[in-house]
Amino acid sequence: MRPDDKNADLSPGKRPFRILIISGSGRRQYNCPGVDGKSRTLMLKMAEMLPQEWEIDYEDLGNVYGREKIQSCNACVSTAMSLCVWPCNCYEKGSWVEKDLMWEMDMYSRVDMADAWAIIGPINWYAPSSNLKLMFDRLVCMNGGNPDEKLIDHKDPEKAMALEHTELWKKLSINHLEGRTAGFFCYGDEGGDEMDENNVPIILKHKDYFDCNAEPFENERDAYAPLVWQCRYGGIEVPDQLWMHATSGKGQKYSDNQAEDVVENDQFMATFDSWVHNFETFVQQKGKVKPGKYRAYGYKPPTNLWKEAKTGIRSWMLRFGITPENSSPRIQKEMNLNKDTTLRPSQSEGEKLREKSD
């Protein structure tokens, strides 16, 4: 059935199962490249295969011209875990300055409402697609993120660093989505028709640069290991039988390995069908998941006009080399480490270097 977000207010015993399926390909037909990726077809097929009394939510992360993009993670955790707010407050819904697809699609709420996630995507250069990686980077806040941004005045790094050393922080920092299940189905072509009989790229001139015996993975599914282990790190259960890989298009031209070709590949589709069956069985037997203490569903960010203004004032002070007392920027400046004082922080280092040489 279609998802009804109001059911998230009900106890697990009174609501249906809820599943979120993610298509992780970057391709969409509405702009370059003009063709949908295979993961979209598989996402829609899975939605039809799962029990129809379940709430089936799904999303396509593919790029569409003019649509918002998933903004990059700002790595707040590396300053202080308490600076990373749950759900992410580095960006906001409806922003005209930094439009963010995670917020525009309400992804924090949707991962919160689901009992299980099904992630389907390609292997791009021995790794997940950039869109999937961006989404999971932005989900770092589920792993112990700060549920009360008022304690750090929205985004004050000095206050966050101090909070991280308190007893209160030990109570606040929890895995907000722990207990859910995630399944991963990834696929690749193992180089298509670009490899020779020794599994070395045909057009490569320096053959000795490429040792085929030293390629990263014996099992291609390990290309998604960073996402799987991020989930496990945060208490999201990823059973081995729900982490699968299938090959399509090996030895073929890329143009001969589209969605319409894959659905005719019996071996590939049998692997996919098995994964969907394993997913359904595991989720059914495990049962519905009780939501965490601090929910993204129903979350309404506080008004932060003054706090944003204070952040802006701090930013301008730093541009003039005025650093807060006992702050990391002050220490780095005194140690001559960052050399980052500038009135034009958006200017690239390459531009600065070239201006100096003119």
Side-chain angles (χ1 to χ4, degrees), residues 23-246:
S23 166
S25 172
R27 290 199 285 159
R28 287 302 300 276
Q29 68 176 348
Y30 298 105
N31 49 275
C32 174
V35 178
D36 278 331
K38 292 181 277 292
S39 65
R40 178 176 175 83
T41 294
L42 298 176
M43 173 189 74
L44 296 174
K45 280 191 170 294
M46 184 176 191
E48 295 174 352
M49 294 167 66
L50 292 174
Q52 293 307 295
E53 66 270 20
W54 291 7
E55 287 187 325
I56 310 298
D57 189 12
Y58 57 74
E59 192 54 75
D60 188 339
L61 300 184
N63 298 322
V64 177
Y65 178 76
R67 188 169 82 161
E68 302 87 353
K69 307 299 181 186
I70 300 176
Q71 295 283 353
S72 296
C73 174
N74 290 329
C76 297
V77 172
S78 295
T79 297
M81 187 70 236
S82 49
L83 190 62
C84 180
V85 172
W86 165 255
C88 174
N89 72 341
C90 292
Y91 308 96
E92 61 184 13
K93 191 168 186 175
S95 172
W96 288 93
V97 181
E98 292 182 299
K99 297 180 179 181
D100 175 45
L101 196 62
M102 287 289 286
W103 274 111
E104 297 306 319
M105 295 190 306
D106 291 323
M107 289 307 295
Y108 294 105
S109 177
R110 292 163 74 183
V111 296
D112 181 13
M113 288 187 282
D115 295 297
W117 317 329
I119 316 297
I120 305 169
I123 297 173
N124 295 343
W125 289 117
Y126 306 95
S129 68
S130 55
N131 288 358
L132 266 182
K133 187 62 171 66
L134 280 168
M135 186 187 87
F136 273 89
D137 279 352
R138 291 286 303 287
L139 283 174
V140 63
C141 55
M142 74 180 179
N143 303 91
N146 185 353
D148 187 358
E149 67 169 67
K150 293 192 290 280
L151 295 172
I152 58 168
D153 276 352
H154 180 58
K155 218 66 181 176
D156 186 314
E158 284 72 52
K159 289 188 176 181
M161 287 177 164
L163 176 61
E164 196 175 43
H165 293 275
T166 66
E167 289 298 315
L168 173 61
W169 178 243
K170 294 179 182 179
K171 299 177 182 179
L172 292 174
S173 185
I174 61 176
N175 288 321
H176 300 293
L177 299 177
E178 186 151 357
R180 287 160 181 77
T181 299
F184 291 84
F185 183 85
C186 57
Y187 54 86
D189 51 40
E190 299 183 42
D193 68 343
E194 295 186 347
M195 315 303 280
D196 65 18
E197 65 278 3
N198 298 315
N199 203 39
V200 174
I202 294 170
I203 65 173
L204 183 64
K205 294 180 180 179
H206 299 279
K207 303 292 185 184
D208 54 316
Y209 288 5
F210 190 94
D211 181 358
C212 63
N213 296 314
E215 281 193 276
F217 314 118
E218 291 184 15
N219 188 335
E220 292 287 311
R221 77 169 194 167
D222 287 340
Y224 273 50
L227 307 186
V228 170
W229 283 97
Q230 179 182 343
C231 286
R232 290 173 171 174
Y233 189 99
I236 310 298
E237 189 172 14
V238 186
D240 274 352
Q241 71 268 29
L242 301 191
W243 178 15
M244 296 182 68
H245 165 269

Side-chain angles (χ1 to χ4, degrees), residues 223-274:
Y224 273 50
L227 307 186
V228 170
W229 283 97
Q230 179 182 343
C231 286
R232 290 173 171 174
Y233 189 99
I236 310 298
E237 189 172 14
V238 186
D240 274 352
Q241 71 268 29
L242 301 191
W243 178 15
M244 296 182 68
H245 165 269
T247 297
S248 71
K250 184 176 182 178
Q252 297 177 290
K253 294 188 180 302
Y254 298 131
S255 55
D256 295 330
N257 184 32
Q258 303 305 308
E260 64 270 24
D261 302 302
V262 164
V263 296
E264 300 296 331
N265 184 327
D266 292 342
Q267 183 176 353
F268 181 97
M269 293 308 298
T271 303
F272 177 73
D273 291 350
S274 175

Side-chain angles (χ1 to χ4, degrees), residues 247-316:
T247 297
S248 71
K250 184 176 182 178
Q252 297 177 290
K253 294 188 180 302
Y254 298 131
S255 55
D256 295 330
N257 184 32
Q258 303 305 308
E260 64 270 24
D261 302 302
V262 164
V263 296
E264 300 296 331
N265 184 327
D266 292 342
Q267 183 176 353
F268 181 97
M269 293 308 298
T271 303
F272 177 73
D273 291 350
S274 175
W275 176 74
V276 174
H277 173 73
N278 291 346
F279 183 92
E280 177 186 339
T281 301
F282 185 88
V283 171
Q284 182 83 63
Q285 292 178 351
K286 180 176 179 177
K288 300 165 195 170
V289 178
K290 182 180 178 181
K293 181 178 181 180
Y294 305 104
R295 301 203 64 181
Y297 166 73
Y299 174 78
K300 295 182 179 179
T303 301
N304 290 304
L305 293 178
W306 169 236
K307 293 171 183 175
E308 286 281 10
K310 288 172 65 178
T311 300
I313 293 170
R314 182 183 189 276
S315 171
W316 275 101

Side-chain angles (χ1 to χ4, degrees), residues 346-358:
S346 61
Q347 185 183 35
S348 75
E349 298 303 319
E351 289 177 299
K352 296 176 189 175
L353 288 170
R354 284 152 182 78
E355 284 180 356
K356 291 177 181 178
S357 63
D358 288 344

